[in-house]
Amino acid sequence: MVNFTIQQIREIMNKKNNIRNMCVIAHVDHGKSTLTDSLIAEAGIIAGAKAGEARFTDTREDEQQRCITIKSTGVSLYYEIPKDKVPGDADGNAFLVNLIDSPGHVDFSSEVTAALRVSDGALVVVDSVEGVCVQTETVLRQALTERIRPVLMVNKMDRQLLELQLDMEELYQSVSRTIETANVIIATYKDELLGDVQVYPDKGTVAFGSGLHGWGFTLTKFADMYAKKFGVERSKLMSRLWGDNYFDPATKKWKTNPTGSNGKDIPRAFCQFILDPIYKLFDAIMKDHKDKIEKMLKGLNIQLKSDEKELTGKNLLKTIMKKFLPAAEALLEMIVVHLPSPVAAQKYRVENLYEGPKDDEAATAIRNCNPDGPLILYVSKMVPTTDKGRFYAFGRVFAGTVKTGQKVRIMGANYVYGKKEDLYVKSIQRTVLMMGRYVEPIEDVPAGNTVGLVGVDQYILKSATISTSETAHPMVQMKFSVSPVVRVAVEPKNAADLPKLVEGLKRLGKSDPLVQCTIEESGEHIVAGAGELHLEICLKDLQEEYCGGVPLKTSDPVVSFRETVSAVSSMTVLAKSPNKHNRLFMTAEPFPQGLSEDIDNKVINEKDDPKTRGKILSDKYGWDATEARKIWCFGPDTTGPNMVIDTTKGVQYLNEIKDSVVAAFQWATKEGVLAEENCRGIRANIMDVTLHTDAIHRGGGQIIPTARRCFYAAFLTASPQMLEPVYLVEIQTPDNAVGGIYSCLNKRRGHVISEEQKIGTPLLHVKAYLPVMESFGFTADLRSQTSGQAFPQCVFDHWQQVQGDPYKADSKSAQVVTSIRKRKGLKEGIPPLDNYLDKM
């Protein structure tokens, strides 16, 4: 039975100190959705008996079948906390937790980014057997760059006891190693404004337990129990229950070394006071010692119902542990006490979130989380409704109050402050509360809460800022940690269904934060995603949901490549304008190592001050200081990792053709010379220019095509190469399956870069690089080679040169170029240099 009403939730929404917005993040299959169940059961939305198996937040059919989370799902939960646990600034003991369960698969990490934007705290779940994995690190990094406070849950503790049968000291060591690893990652991305966000069991920011069995505890739970029993202060006990602290029963004194006064070894306090009772319970139940169990239950003050007494083995274990250490209690206490309320969080998050000046009225309202200020609401994702093709806009109110029927300004992703583009003034039809698989209507929602909006979906593509104030700037766009590198061409089987496909692609583009739907010049419809699984899910949705079951044909997945140069131009190339009055002289050369990555990560970008940017380039990459200041532009799309640099001396009228050259460079780097793919890591130098004195003879029509031909000629003389994307593959596997992994990777041009044994387990951690074009079907192949024991995770990592020379017919590079040119319907073979080069 749901033990709260919408009225109660609405009342707490006004008490902004009693709200917690949090998100559950972890590696694949570490138990996020299962753990979330115990929280949802505590709020009475699902029956306690089903918790752990229902996976309430996996709302879609394919999520339930595949047992993975695909879309992040929001639920609003209402709890009342015992009076003595309430933090100081709270108003009353009722709390509202807006919880978002997010996917762990790397292909869906864009969903995690969208979920993190609207949360202030994160519950990081780590499997105690596998430890911290590649995706744990990725999501933690995303959370910390968004300035989100983490708390840690060490999950699947039952496996340590039942499968690995570790003794207490080994268990302590293995858990403390996991916490250590997580803290190393947290410390790496330290943020001054956040302060120290590392997690410590003795501060109560780490919980231990098992989501499937529904039990869990923090050290506070045991400290409370023992504080009552021994009459000691709770805070003193907390610090003693973790780390190198030992209690000597003979002298009744605490020590820091494990030898007692009688010379015998004494167990660690964590083992003696916390693990010992749990171990004894497990042991008695699994060996079915009825009398022992009854005695312990009496001691722990646990009542079993008559039907529960007949259970045996794991079922009995689950029932008793749930009553002894309920997981939801431990997690709730962590969430309420250690995660920030919107009031606290928005003070330090406003710097990262708001694009405009940090002291205008909107920024001040966000900083103070003011419900009476101007409305500022960020829509982070679109959630499909039961109506086909319509969406709820899911987001968070950062300031002001959003009401049904309110007239608002909707600022899309391409909106620039002060311009009219991508700006709509519309009214909101309804506001709703997101509750997992259903929604509840609600009148209005004040600052600090998450909300679903109805009726604005046709104006928003993926994300948007909604405001009532004319002077408000938009919120900062979300930055994803993966990029769409795998593309598929889609067409309908019957030409008559084309309009349905076009409509369906528009809807698909809304439904997923990352997927890109574009139309090529050849008229193909391209869908780009982060990986094989991501694309598979998107195409399934496209066909079934958004196109109404129209049969579609899809091409094989195609990987996007990049073009680059690998040497300095062998000569200075010349191009003349069509009227023979203007000449451009250029060379091209490759970037130094690491510069393209810096541009991708926005360490160096087009908006920087030329002087500071020039200093970085000359200090770090050894460029000439004067040249480094004369960067004309970046390309493609004015932000890409290629540059035009003016190295000329004393040329007349040079600045008048700057715009034309920049336009030509955008064109040339968008469609490179080898196969019309984007370029990457090319520096083009303008050596000399002779221009006609009359302005009419050096207009854009004369300069743009000339400059483009000149760029192409310069690229061709600088030994051009193709770059392919590479995945970093992390594989977890038992020792005996390693052979299969190596043979599988070698067949696909992959190579292993490291393998390490996980201490205390039979698992190996193998890291390898694998070209994306070889990765299709890799997972299935690997599983058949290792009889299903190896579990791979692929993350896009970097670009690398395709082997061989594109001019030698039998090389890998030449095959790639030929296949791309054939697919795009271009002339066969790389165009010769004479097409672009002019003689003096």
Side-chain angles (χ1 to χ4, degrees):
M1 180 58 216
V2 179
N3 43 17
F4 56 86
T5 62
I6 299 299
Q7 263 63 44
Q8 281 174 309
I9 285 197
R10 182 63 194 89
E11 275 163 30
I12 301 193
M13 281 186 172
N14 296 335
K15 305 179 184 174
K16 46 192 183 180
N17 283 328
N18 287 29
I19 304 168
R20 297 290 181 271
N21 294 314
M22 46 94 53
C23 162
V24 188
I25 56 179
H27 188 76
V28 186
D29 288 339
H30 278 197
K32 292 175 294 299
S33 305
T34 313
L35 194 64
T36 315
D37 269 5
S38 43
L39 286 170
I40 292 170
E42 178 76 2
I45 295 181
I46 55 177
K50 276 172 106 176
E53 274 128 42
R55 298 206 315 285
F56 176 81
T57 46
D58 288 357
T59 48
R60 298 162 43 130
E61 227 172 83
D62 49 353
E63 291 183 316
Q64 287 288 354
Q65 283 165 5
R66 290 167 175 253
C67 289
I68 56 173
T69 312
I70 293 168
K71 299 280 178 207
S72 46
T73 318
V75 187
S76 297
L77 309 170
Y78 168 94
Y79 299 106
E80 285 177 3
I81 295 245
K83 292 268 197 304
D84 56 331
K85 296 278 170 66
V86 176
D89 59 357
D91 173 6
N93 69 332
F95 282 84
L96 170 67
V97 176
N98 293 320
L99 179 137
I100 302 176
D101 177 39
S102 66
H105 251 277
V106 68
D107 285 14
F108 310 120
S109 83
S110 54
E111 288 282 336
V112 182
T113 314
L116 287 171
R117 172 53 66 92
V118 296
S119 344
D120 301 317
L123 172 62
V124 184
V125 186
V126 175
D127 181 337
S128 61
V129 180
E130 290 186 5
V132 174
C133 301
V134 52
Q135 195 55 16
T136 320
E137 190 168 338
T138 317
V139 289
L140 253 176
R141 187 177 70 229
Q142 281 177 312
L144 293 164
T145 42
E146 281 273 358
R147 289 197 182 147
I148 282 168
R149 278 196 102 83
V151 291
L152 188 71
M153 164 81 188
V154 181
N155 197 13
K156 304 198 187 182
M157 294 285 281
D158 56 306
R159 289 182 59 188
Q160 300 259 17
L161 294 159
L162 300 174
E163 286 176 28
L164 298 176
Q165 308 249 334
L166 299 182
D167 63 37
M168 292 187 233
E169 183 60 25
E170 285 174 343
L171 181 86
Y172 169 82
Q173 293 297 351
S174 119
V175 170
S176 99
R177 256 199 309 275
T178 303
I179 296 170
E180 196 81 353
T181 327
N183 277 336
V184 168
I185 297 169
I186 295 173
T188 321
Y189 303 102
K190 194 172 181 335
D191 193 322
E192 295 310 315
L193 276 167
L194 257 182
D196 180 24
V197 287
Q198 294 189 27
V199 291
Y200 304 106
D202 45 348
K203 301 242 175 83
T205 44
V206 179
F208 309 92
S210 156
L212 186 65
H213 289 184
W215 60 272
F217 62 89
T218 53
L219 292 192
T220 9
K221 164 96 181 171
F222 280 94
D224 280 348
M225 276 166 38
Y226 288 119
K228 280 191 197 121
K229 196 169 164 185
F230 298 135
V232 196
E233 276 178 51
R234 179 176 105 177
S235 53
K236 275 191 180 166
L237 258 179
M238 283 282 289
S239 57
R240 292 281 161 77
L241 284 176
W242 184 258
D244 295 329
N245 292 307
Y246 305 88
F247 183 67
D248 188 348
T251 58
K252 298 250 189 302
K253 289 271 192 315
W254 287 95
K255 313 185 68 169
T256 48
N257 61 335
T259 38
S261 52
N262 52 7
K264 284 189 182 157
D265 277 1
I266 42 179
R268 188 185 292 275
F270 180 73
C271 303
Q272 185 180 350
F273 294 112
I274 295 177
L275 293 181
D276 192 48
I278 297 176
Y279 266 79
K280 280 186 178 148
L281 249 178
F282 264 76
D283 193 53
I285 294 169
M286 296 316 278
K287 291 187 178 152
D288 211 16
H289 296 309
K290 286 271 190 324
D291 43 344
K292 256 195 199 169
I293 298 174
E294 270 175 33
K295 193 171 137 201
M296 283 167 133
L297 291 184
K298 210 172 261 155
L300 293 169
N301 199 353
I302 295 174
Q303 307 291 327
L304 286 184
K305 295 186 192 130
S306 52
D307 57 339
E308 291 172 339
K309 286 183 178 159
E310 287 158 18
L311 299 171
T312 54
K314 277 195 177 173
N315 294 339
L316 179 65
L317 180 69
K318 194 170 165 178
T319 315
I320 292 180
M321 287 304 286
K322 229 184 227 174
K323 297 194 169 182
F324 172 35
L325 303 167
E329 259 179 41
L331 290 173
L332 268 182
E333 184 188 319
M334 249 186 2
I335 291 166
V336 169
V337 179
H338 297 289
L339 292 184
S341 64
V343 189
Q346 288 180 200
K347 280 191 177 60
Y348 53 78
R349 286 191 68 198
V350 66
E351 313 284 323
N352 278 15
L353 291 173
Y354 187 62
E355 255 182 30
K358 303 294 181 264
D359 51 4
D360 65 358
E361 65 161 349
T364 317
I366 296 177
R367 191 173 286 116
N368 301 333
C369 191
N370 180 6
D372 308 319
L375 170 72
I376 301 280
L377 183 154
Y378 185 78
V379 175
S380 74
K381 61 173 291 197
M382 310 296 279
V383 183
T385 63
T386 40
D387 285 350
K388 286 249 162 102
R390 293 303 297 271
F391 295 89
Y392 295 121
F394 176 72
R396 161 155 170 198
V397 189
F398 284 96
T401 305
V402 60
K403 304 184 183 71
T404 300
Q406 184 178 26
K407 209 170 189 64
V408 293
R409 294 161 59 89
I410 302 171
M411 304 179 255
N414 302 329
Y415 171 76
V416 180
Y417 181 71
K419 297 216 173 109
K420 285 276 195 296
E421 182 192 6
D422 213 358
L423 173 74
Y424 302 96
V425 180
K426 296 286 178 237
S427 57
I428 292 167
Q429 288 178 12
R430 283 184 306 149
T431 47
V432 294
L433 201 62
M434 306 299 284
M435 297 291 286
R437 50 192 82 184
Y438 51 94
V439 295
E440 296 282 357
I442 191 165
E443 282 284 294
D444 54 345
V445 177
N449 291 284
T450 53
V451 63
L453 307 176
V454 182
V456 291
D457 54 335
Q458 41 291 46
Y459 313 110
I460 300 177
L461 178 60
K462 285 171 168 31
S463 62
T465 311
I466 294 182
S467 173
T468 49
S469 149
E470 300 271 326
T471 58
H473 287 249
M475 306 282 261
V476 176
Q477 285 295 313
M478 293 183 292
K479 185 165 172 289
F480 299 121
S481 68
V482 288
S483 47
V485 282
V486 183
R487 308 150 44 125
V488 174
V490 187
E491 52 178 346
K493 282 198 172 149
N494 313 328
D497 293 328
L498 192 63
K500 276 189 187 166
L501 174 69
V502 174
E503 193 53 38
L505 283 168
K506 269 187 200 155
R507 292 173 186 164
L508 178 68
K510 277 186 186 171
S511 72
D512 188 290
L514 187 72
V515 73
Q516 288 179 355
C517 307
T518 49
I519 300 176
E520 291 276 300
E521 282 172 16
S522 55
E524 289 180 304
H525 294 275
I526 300 287
V527 179
E532 220 179 339
L533 182 68
H534 185 213
L535 264 184
E536 189 185 326
I537 302 283
C538 287
L539 293 174
K540 179 174 175 294
D541 279 1
L542 177 66
Q543 184 157 357
E544 292 173 11
E545 295 287 316
Y546 307 125
C547 293
V550 170
L552 299 176
K553 276 200 310 215
T554 53
S555 69
D556 286 342
V558 174
V559 181
S560 17
F561 288 85
R562 295 282 183 274
E563 299 184 17
T564 188
V565 297
S566 56
V568 182
S569 291
S570 51
M571 57 197 230
T572 303
V573 295
L574 153 76
K576 295 183 194 166
S577 63
N579 63 9
K580 304 282 184 280
H581 286 312
N582 308 294
R583 297 177 178 188
L584 299 174
F585 296 86
M586 294 187 196
T587 60
E589 58 182 276
F591 272 2
Q593 196 101 35
L595 180 55
S596 309
E597 283 70 28
D598 275 356
I599 295 176
D600 285 343
N601 299 332
K602 298 273 191 282
V603 178
I604 296 172
N605 72 31
E606 75 287 357
K607 295 188 180 123
D608 292 342
D609 173 51
K611 279 191 177 162
T612 49
R613 184 173 60 199
K615 193 164 172 20
I616 298 176
L617 287 171
S618 62
D619 293 353
K620 190 170 169 187
Y621 296 112
W623 282 15
D624 183 322
T626 44
E627 288 177 8
R629 282 185 190 179
K630 288 186 170 176
I631 296 175
W632 271 13
C633 74
F634 289 70
D637 306 324
T638 64
T639 54
N642 305 287
M643 293 183 200
V644 177
I645 295 184
D646 164 23
T647 58
T648 55
K649 303 276 186 291
V651 172
Q652 276 181 311
Y653 317 122
L654 185 63
N655 275 341
E656 295 183 22
I657 64 158
K658 182 173 174 177
D659 287 345
S660 307
V661 174
V662 167
F665 186 67
Q666 304 301 342
W667 184 10
T669 49
K670 185 100 181 130
E671 298 178 354
V673 66
L674 290 181
E676 294 199 1
E677 290 284 325
N678 285 5
C679 293
R680 178 183 175 86
I682 303 180
R683 165 182 164 174
N685 303 315
I686 301 176
M687 304 303 280
D688 189 15
V689 184
T690 38
L691 296 171
H692 195 280
T693 45
D694 202 348
I696 200 155
H697 291 312
R698 48 168 199 266
Q702 297 291 339
I703 302 296
I704 295 179
T706 314
R708 175 171 168 256
R709 288 201 353 258
C710 200
F711 284 127
Y712 278 173
F715 296 169
L716 282 174
T717 54
S719 63
Q721 288 284 350
M722 299 297 287
L723 294 173
E724 58 176 347
V726 180
Y727 278 146
L728 170 69
V729 190
E730 273 226 2
I731 307 171
Q732 289 206 328
T733 163
D735 301 347
N736 53 11
V738 177
I741 294 175
Y742 275 91
S743 66
C744 198
L745 281 167
N746 290 343
K747 270 196 303 213
R748 296 171 173 269
R749 308 210 324 264
H751 63 277
V752 174
I753 45 173
S754 81
E755 66 171 76
E756 49 191 66
Q757 182 80 30
K758 291 242 30 192
I759 309 169
T761 61
L763 291 177
L764 266 182
H765 233 117
V766 180
K767 285 188 180 172
Y769 285 140
L770 176 73
V772 174
M773 60 189 287
E774 306 286 344
S775 71
F776 304 116
F778 170 69
T779 314
D781 192 15
L782 185 67
R783 290 206 174 129
S784 65
Q785 291 263 355
T786 57
S787 61
Q789 289 174 314
F791 187 75
Q793 259 300 60
C794 301
V795 196
F796 169 70
D797 191 71
H798 64 277
W799 296 90
Q800 77 174 20
Q801 273 196 24
V802 184
Q803 289 157 351
D805 181 353
Y807 285 103
K808 293 205 175 113
D810 51 353
S811 69
K812 181 81 192 162
S813 188
Q815 289 165 8
V816 168
V817 173
T818 316
S819 70
I820 299 175
R821 291 189 74 90
K822 194 170 170 187
R823 187 181 87 234
K824 292 188 175 175
L826 307 172
K827 274 189 198 154
E828 271 190 29
I830 301 168
L833 183 58
D834 302 349
N835 285 14
Y836 306 116
L837 190 66
D838 290 331
K839 299 280 180 290
M840 271 304 276

